[in-house]
Amino acid sequence: MSEKTKSSGETGETPVGELRKEFIPSDDGLPCPITEFHPLHPAIMSKQATINIGTIGHVAHGKTTLVKAISGVHTIKHSHEKMRNITIKLGYANAKIFRCDNPFCPAPECYTSGGSSKDEGFPCERFNCGGVMRLIRHISFVDCPGHDILMATMLNGAAVMDAAVLLIAGNEPCPQPQTREHLAAIEIMAMPHIIVVQNKIDLIKKRDDSITHHDEIVKFLKNTQADGAPIIPASAQLGINVNAVSQRIVSHVPIPLRDFVAAPQLIVIRSFDVNKPGFSIDQIEGGVAGGSLLRGVLKLGMNIELRPGIITTSEDKKKSKKDTKAQTTTFLLSTIVSLKAEKNDLTFAVPGGLIGVGTLIDPSLTKNDLLVGQVLGIPSYMPDVFVALEIKYTLMYRLVGVKSDDDKGSTVTGLTEGETLLVNIGSHSLGCTVYAVKKDSCRLELLKAVCTAIGERIALSRKIQTRWRLIGHGKFGGGEKVFWHFLDLVAKQLEPQGKYEIVVFCAPSDKFNDFETLLKHAQNVFAYQFSFLEKNKNIRLMPIKYLRTTFNSRSWPFTLLSMAYTAYMGGRKCAIEYPVHVVFETSGYPCAYSIMKRLTGCEIFAYIHYPFAYSLERQMVKHGGMHQTGLSGKLKITLRKMYYLLIQKLYRNGLECCSKKWVNSSWTQARHGEISSTEIRTNKQKLDEEFEVLFPPCDSEEFLNELSSKWAKKGVSVTIPTLEHANDVLKWNIPQDADQRQPTIITVGQFRPEKDHPKQIEIIAKLYEMHPEIRKDPSKKVKLVMCGGVVRGGDDYLNSLEQLIKEKKVEDVVEIRKNVRGDDLRQYLMSSMTAVHTMFEEHFGIVIVEMMASGAIPICNPSGGMYDDVFIRGRTDKKSILPGFTAITAEEYAEAVYNVYSLYTEQANGKSDKYRQIQLACYKEALRFSIIVFRQQAEKDLLSILGPAKTS
């Protein structure tokens, strides 16, 4: 949620909805096809580090010394760092880890390490081993400063870490202040992989003292992110047990799953001017940006953009009340002229590791780390720039990193209106002012613009006496249809196979006593004729009471466990009442799979809309259970971890019983990847095989058929192409009078809190507040129509919406339409100017597809599967107008609505056809998600599943 900056017209920024080129991965100049890239590919790993490891801990605990012992590189390079012998700026060094190929060479002696330029193939140093050292990892160290006044710098480095090594000096009591604070920081970043090094063991005089200190570390790590992490005694200065650290990096840090085919995005953590005093003009080279690629591949000669770029401020009279200044950003455009990983020259760079990107940018803009916090990427595919953020936040109970009499620190008080905080966003540290403080959300007015994206983690620090102290963190913050189409296709496949019976397990209902009645209801709701089900007489309806049991999370303490229990009992009941040979499950009862498999030996095929369980780290962060202190708090954290691990185990056990699993989006696939085995999690091809993405069926062609019939009455004839010829849609010539629409904003979604209907009301209120001229002219009046079904217990929610409409005084321009039939909803969409969707991080956006197919230009939140799969990725043509707009805050939505309204008005007046161009882009992209495309793919899979055999 945000307020965007004003952008200079010369920057190369492309507004959403404008013609813009999406990055197309190319194999030119690469050692193999980009789809075969992997962090351990020899051609990649030999030249570039592919994993980022942070070294964290208290000042003078040996972080820099350990990095030098492993890599041979001393990261203290600046004169003022050398003078004080401490790390002040982020240090960086690449290291290769080698392992002896002799299987009898014992660990950790079989491990060694060296600099980035060291090649494999040298002999093992162990006496009489005879083995040869082989490269197994190429890592990049991010050496963080340990001094308390440099905490912000440490947080900048944490933005690019895949794992962390926490150093604790054995000659000092544990924990020290910044040991606490650094551990809290990486917990905020949800970093799951931590290795602890008990350093300086050579300074411990007695063996018992070493054991006592080890026990102190174990006690300190209890109930933290590092609980259970390996603790390695070592002396970095003398090189003792350094090979054991290398061994643990290999065994404990999994290979991260990288997205090589996406548009590249690099986060800048250092920048330099490489020119020396006295250079002539001909000798001057452009500035260098150093950082880590988050995704994609950079190549020499590629055109790039840096955001937010150059920021200029000016007095803004509109904001004088808050005494702020308007900010204008000028994005920096350049070309990559060199790529380096330390001393290795590269022709391409991949995610992971730290690289230097040589550019043609004026070196005065890159010297002394002036570009730190910038985001580097492709001009047509970059995150937005913001000057204000609305975040969901969580505060720590007590300060860490502060010595106090009881060694527990001071209690953190709540945020207050107008106070100043230091925030870390990506690799950027900047000040902000707090406004609109609520229980768990607030608005941050940033002193400088920042380039970021939805879901970005933000660290919050408050000035305590003369130091910035970490105080908390924030975050920027259709199953039935699949079932019926699957069932129809199963009936089609089984029709010629002789005797069989299909059993539909469902919740008991007084309304539907037989399958025919239920089928008629489904056809009415989805406006689709399931022809193979209509003529099939071998389908039986079997009600199972457990399938209707629901639990309210506010009144029931173990919601997920209760759902797992009812699913298990439902599966048991199904298996006992009517044993079957094949099960197709689309409603989300994964804990029923194992009992059905065990009792009947059936094959199970599941279509998954949403993960039943997340990774432990995501689940804990989601429920804010990471930072409680005291005996009671720590016990709660431990119990919560055990609870989520149990749920995760039950879910995995269920999934392992499936012969095939489909997921509805790349977002859902990624969440399942996080809880899968390392082999699946780190290999995109295996992840695709294990969880096949099958987009759910959307009414794309039904909308287009209905629109074409409407246009035909006006003398306009169009042919709806197949997906292979989707570009033909862009050639449609539809006159203004053939597609008449009303200045209406339509929203579609069940009336539930997560759909954020209050924001939709806020949008229409903001629209008239920002553009009052629209309301004065009745012919121009824009209306909001909110369509959706009412779920059980939703009356209170609807009453609150009606009350908000009255408070905002928009009763004359807002309508709520409940339980709208499918065909009526299509008419509303096809006659509306624009459609708004406000849900954040939706797993897949069926409603966005239907908005596009209807020609109502969509405005949605840029998050989740609806943005990645529907709005951006996988589009049929990479050179195309985007099919809509994105927004986050109510103000941004209102401005986007006004933009659509302006284009709509210009189209009506014959001044511009931009509105029509965006509509055609919507029609074209909607073809990717049609029912026909879904049924073709599903039918192909069902042929291989059911085969010619008779199946019950």
Side-chain angles (χ1 to χ4, degrees):
M1 301 182 178
S2 65
E3 178 179 311
K4 295 182 183 177
T5 64
K6 297 177 181 178
S7 178
S8 166
E10 299 298 318
T11 62
E13 180 189 27
T14 308
V16 177
E18 294 287 336
L19 183 66
R20 79 190 218 178
K21 297 178 181 179
E22 189 178 1
F23 176 73
I24 305 173
S26 169
D27 296 336
D28 294 343
L30 302 179
C32 65
I34 199 168
T35 54
E36 297 179 9
F37 270 24
H38 187 272
L40 299 186
H41 192 290
I44 297 173
M45 193 168 59
S46 63
K47 287 279 190 178
Q48 186 194 336
T50 54
I51 304 174
N52 288 325
I53 308 288
T55 54
I56 62 174
H58 193 68
V59 62
H61 276 205
K63 298 180 293 296
T64 302
T65 307
L66 179 67
V67 171
K68 184 180 180 182
I70 295 176
S71 68
V73 177
H74 195 45
T75 60
I76 294 180
K77 298 179 180 179
H78 295 265
S79 57
H80 48 292
E81 291 180 315
K82 293 178 179 179
M83 189 181 303
R84 300 174 60 185
N85 196 31
I86 62 170
T87 302
I88 297 176
K89 296 176 179 288
L90 286 174
Y92 57 94
N94 291 350
K96 288 180 177 179
I97 297 177
F98 305 89
R99 183 171 58 201
C100 180
D101 61 4
N102 181 354
F104 300 104
C105 189
E109 288 86 351
C110 61
Y111 289 86
T112 190
S113 60
S116 185
S117 58
K118 191 169 185 176
D119 295 324
E120 66 176 357
F122 56 92
C124 178
E125 295 179 357
R126 186 168 168 269
F127 182 70
N128 282 339
C129 174
V132 175
M133 305 306 290
R134 300 300 179 188
L135 176 64
I136 55 172
R137 294 290 188 276
H138 195 169
I139 62 176
S140 194
F141 282 109
V142 183
D143 187 19
C144 298
H147 201 282
D148 60 347
I149 64 173
L150 300 171
M151 188 63 195
T153 307
M154 179 268 161
L155 288 166
N156 292 346
V160 299
M161 295 178 191
D162 297 309
V165 177
L166 173 63
L167 282 96
I168 301 175
N171 61 333
E172 293 183 8
C174 176
Q176 292 295 304
Q178 268 52 64
T179 307
R180 285 185 182 274
E181 197 164 18
H182 281 204
L183 183 58
I186 59 174
E187 283 188 320
I188 283 176
M189 299 303 176
M191 191 176 300
H193 309 297
I194 302 169
I195 297 169
V196 181
V197 174
Q198 183 188 20
N199 195 26
K200 302 188 179 183
I201 58 170
D202 54 308
L203 300 181
I204 302 176
K205 296 181 179 179
K206 298 180 180 178
R207 183 177 182 275
D208 290 345
D209 292 342
S210 175
I211 296 173
T212 301
H213 188 266
H214 178 275
D215 293 341
E216 289 179 1
I217 296 174
V218 172
K219 183 180 178 181
F220 164 60
L221 298 179
K222 274 287 185 185
N223 302 318
T224 70
Q225 193 88 349
D227 194 354
I231 302 173
I232 306 167
S235 172
Q237 185 69 41
L238 300 180
I240 298 173
N241 240 9
V242 171
N243 51 5
V245 178
S246 298
Q247 178 195 7
R248 279 298 186 175
I249 289 174
V250 172
S251 63
H252 190 70
V253 179
I255 304 301
L257 184 64
R258 304 295 193 192
D259 188 350
F260 296 101
V261 298
Q265 185 176 317
L266 178 142
I267 185 168
V268 179
I269 63 173
R270 298 293 300 270
S271 67
F272 316 91
D273 173 8
V274 296
N275 299 290
K276 297 180 180 179
F279 270 21
S280 65
I281 293 178
D282 294 337
Q283 293 176 298
I284 291 178
E285 297 181 23
V288 176
S292 183
L293 260 176
L294 302 180
R295 63 184 68 90
V297 176
L298 288 176
K299 292 191 286 188
L300 291 176
M302 185 176 283
N303 293 324
I304 56 170
E305 179 181 297
L306 283 102
R307 293 189 179 188
I310 300 172
I311 304 170
T312 55
T313 58
S314 59
E315 296 295 336
D316 190 345
K317 296 180 181 179
K318 293 181 181 179
K319 294 188 176 183
S320 58
K321 183 177 179 181
K322 292 181 181 178
D323 192 30
T324 60
K325 296 183 178 181
Q327 299 186 37
T328 302
T329 58
T330 303
F331 306 150
L332 298 174
L333 301 177
S334 189
T335 302
I336 298 178
V337 296
S338 67
L339 289 168
K340 278 183 175 290
E342 283 197 344
K343 297 179 181 180
N344 295 333
D345 291 316
L346 308 175
T347 56
F348 66 93
V350 299
L354 300 177
I355 62 170
V357 181
T359 71
L360 299 176
I361 295 173
D362 186 337
S364 66
L365 299 175
T366 65
K367 66 179 182 180
N368 298 328
D369 291 335
L370 289 177
L371 291 186
V372 169
Q374 301 274 339
V375 176
L376 182 152
I378 301 301
S380 59
Y381 194 80
M382 289 286 288
D384 286 320
V385 175
F386 304 94
V387 293
L389 307 175
E390 291 185 18
I391 68 166
K392 293 281 187 180
Y393 68 85
T394 301
L395 298 181
M396 297 175 175
Y397 179 66
R398 291 182 179 275
L399 289 174
V400 293
V402 179
K403 287 187 176 181
S404 60
D405 295 337
D406 59 1
D407 200 34
K408 292 182 180 179
S410 305
T411 302
V412 175
T413 57
L415 301 183
T416 58
E417 193 88 7
E419 79 165 307
T420 299
L421 297 178
L422 182 71
V423 294
N424 286 83
I425 305 170
S427 63
H428 213 354
S429 300
L430 67 160
C432 69
T433 306
V434 180
Y435 294 103
V437 178
K438 298 179 183 177
K439 182 180 179 180
D440 61 352
S441 66
C442 67
R443 179 180 176 84
L444 304 178
E445 299 279 353
L446 306 176
L447 296 183
K448 282 188 176 182
V450 65
C451 180
T452 188
I454 297 297
E456 185 77 39
R457 291 185 174 276
I458 299 172
L460 306 175
S461 300
R462 175 183 284 156
K463 202 163 193 177
I464 308 295
Q465 297 177 346
T466 59
R467 299 282 192 267
W468 289 104
R469 299 295 184 187
L470 191 63
I471 62 167
H473 62 95
K475 197 171 185 180
F476 183 44
E480 296 88 355
K481 184 182 286 188
V482 170
F483 164 77
W484 283 103
H485 281 286
F486 256 120
L487 187 60
D488 194 46
L489 291 170
V490 168
K492 176 184 177 181
Q493 176 68 12
L494 294 179
E495 186 179 27
Q497 295 189 26
K499 187 178 179 180
Y500 65 90
E501 186 174 26
I502 298 174
V503 180
V504 178
F505 298 109
C506 64
S509 171
D510 296 333
K511 190 174 180 181
F512 308 113
N513 296 315
D514 55 66
F515 181 77
E516 289 73 22
T517 307
L518 184 61
L519 175 61
K520 289 178 181 178
H521 174 73
Q523 292 186 139
N524 183 50
V525 169
F526 299 120
Y528 190 92
Q529 185 176 4
F530 299 100
S531 56
F532 294 98
L533 294 177
E534 281 185 335
K535 58 185 179 182
N536 195 298
K537 303 303 179 184
N538 296 322
I539 302 178
R540 177 180 175 183
L541 198 65
M542 177 164 285
I544 301 293
K545 67 176 183 177
Y546 288 101
L547 300 184
R548 192 171 62 183
T549 307
T550 58
F551 290 86
N552 188 319
S553 60
R554 294 183 178 180
S555 59
W556 195 264
F558 302 106
T559 309
L560 292 174
L561 192 58
S562 303
M563 292 168 63
Y565 170 76
T566 55
Y568 177 88
M569 294 301 294
R572 180 177 179 274
K573 185 77 171 175
C574 292
I576 293 173
E577 294 284 335
Y578 206 97
V580 294
H581 297 106
V582 178
V583 173
F584 290 91
E585 204 281 319
T586 67
S587 300
Y589 293 97
C591 294
Y593 303 163
S594 56
I595 185 66
M596 295 186 76
K597 182 85 171 177
R598 188 161 66 248
L599 293 179
T600 67
C602 61
E603 283 196 83
I604 299 173
F605 303 88
Y607 188 94
I608 305 169
H609 297 269
Y610 204 80
F612 182 77
Y614 295 93
S615 64
L616 177 62
E617 298 77 28
R618 185 178 288 272
Q619 196 81 57
M620 291 295 288
V621 171
K622 181 180 177 184
H623 292 279
M626 304 279 289
H627 308 293
Q628 299 186 44
T629 57
L631 182 61
S632 175
K634 291 177 180 178
L635 179 61
K636 287 179 181 178
I637 292 174
T638 302
L639 292 174
R640 190 168 290 164
K641 284 183 178 180
M642 293 171 63
Y643 174 66
Y644 290 138
L645 286 172
L646 172 62
I647 296 300
Q648 191 182 111
K649 182 175 177 59
L650 291 173
Y651 188 42
R652 280 205 302 261
N653 287 346
L655 293 178
E656 287 171 1
C657 295
C658 293
S659 301
K660 187 175 182 63
K661 300 177 283 291
W662 297 275
V663 291
N664 69 339
S665 68
S666 60
W667 184 91
T668 307
Q669 184 193 61
R671 300 293 78 78
H672 283 85
E674 292 173 356
I675 62 172
S676 299
S677 65
T678 302
E679 182 183 13
I680 295 172
R681 185 171 63 249
T682 58
N683 189 314
K684 187 65 167 65
Q685 183 178 350
K686 289 187 180 295
L687 182 62
D688 289 336
E689 293 171 356
E690 189 72 11
F691 299 95
E692 179 184 340
V693 176
L694 177 60
F695 296 130
C698 304
D699 293 328
S700 305
E701 292 194 344
E702 283 67 24
F703 277 102
L704 294 174
N705 282 326
E706 202 157 341
L707 283 170
S708 64
S709 299
K710 174 183 170 183
W711 299 333
K713 295 176 182 178
K714 297 287 185 177
V716 179
S717 177
V718 299
T719 301
I720 300 172
T722 60
L723 182 61
E724 291 75 17
H725 300 91
N727 281 335
D728 291 351
V729 172
L730 301 178
K731 301 174 185 177
W732 288 355
N733 184 16
I734 306 168
Q736 176 64 27
D737 61 350
D739 187 43
Q740 294 180 346
R741 294 177 179 267
Q742 301 300 317
T744 302
I745 309 166
I746 187 168
T747 68
V748 180
Q750 283 189 332
F751 289 102
R752 305 198 311 260
E754 62 266 29
K755 300 296 183 181
D756 206 355
H757 292 89
K759 178 178 280 187
Q760 297 169 9
I761 298 168
E762 182 75 10
I763 290 166
I764 192 73
K766 286 289 182 183
L767 176 67
Y768 285 116
E769 178 184 329
M770 297 161 64
H771 302 281
E773 70 278 3
I774 301 176
R775 201 164 196 166
K776 295 176 182 177
D777 187 347
S779 64
K780 295 182 177 180
K781 186 179 288 187
V782 177
K783 201 169 187 177
L784 172 65
V785 179
M786 304 166 70
C787 300
V790 182
V791 296
R792 186 183 303 175
D795 290 334
D796 290 341
Y797 183 67
L798 275 175
N799 292 337
S800 68
L801 294 180
E802 290 169 353
Q803 183 62 35
L804 182 60
I805 290 170
K806 292 178 182 178
E807 291 175 6
K808 296 294 182 181
K809 299 179 180 180
V810 289
E811 301 98 315
D812 59 326
V813 291
V814 178
E815 282 184 36
I816 294 179
R817 298 185 179 178
K818 299 179 286 186
N819 302 320
V820 181
R821 293 177 68 250
D823 52 351
D824 292 335
L825 181 59
R826 282 199 298 277
Q827 293 303 319
Y828 290 144
L829 282 165
M830 290 187 296
S831 61
S832 296
M833 170 189 72
T834 187
V836 164
H837 191 63
T838 50
M839 186 173 175
F840 172 70
E841 194 134 296
E842 189 171 17
H843 45 101
F844 183 79
I846 289 180
V847 69
I848 298 295
V849 175
E850 295 178 347
M851 289 171 177
M852 291 193 298
S854 72
I857 295 176
I859 305 170
C860 71
N861 188 297
S863 62
M866 67 178 176
Y867 184 70
D868 287 341
D869 293 326
V870 180
F871 211 72
I872 293 293
R873 291 187 183 176
R875 303 205 325 265
T876 52
D877 182 12
K878 303 301 180 179
K879 298 180 179 180
S880 62
I881 295 176
L882 285 178
F885 295 78
T886 58
I888 301 170
T889 64
E891 291 86 353
E892 290 175 8
Y893 272 100
E895 197 58 40
V897 169
Y898 184 73
N899 289 340
V900 175
Y901 173 77
S902 300
L903 296 174
Y904 162 83
T905 305
E906 291 173 3
Q907 178 85 21
N909 297 332
K911 295 182 179 179
S912 168
D913 66 343
K914 186 62 179 296
Y915 181 87
R916 181 75 71 233
Q917 290 179 29
I918 300 176
Q919 275 188 312
L920 295 179
C922 290
Y923 298 145
K924 184 195 72 171
E925 295 304 323
L927 289 173
R928 291 194 292 125
F929 306 94
S930 69
I931 292 174
I932 290 178
V933 172
F934 171 85
R935 288 176 71 96
Q936 286 174 343
Q937 181 59 48
E939 188 171 5
K940 180 181 176 182
D941 290 340
L942 287 174
L943 283 171
S944 63
I945 291 170
L946 297 176
K950 298 178 182 179
T951 309
S952 296

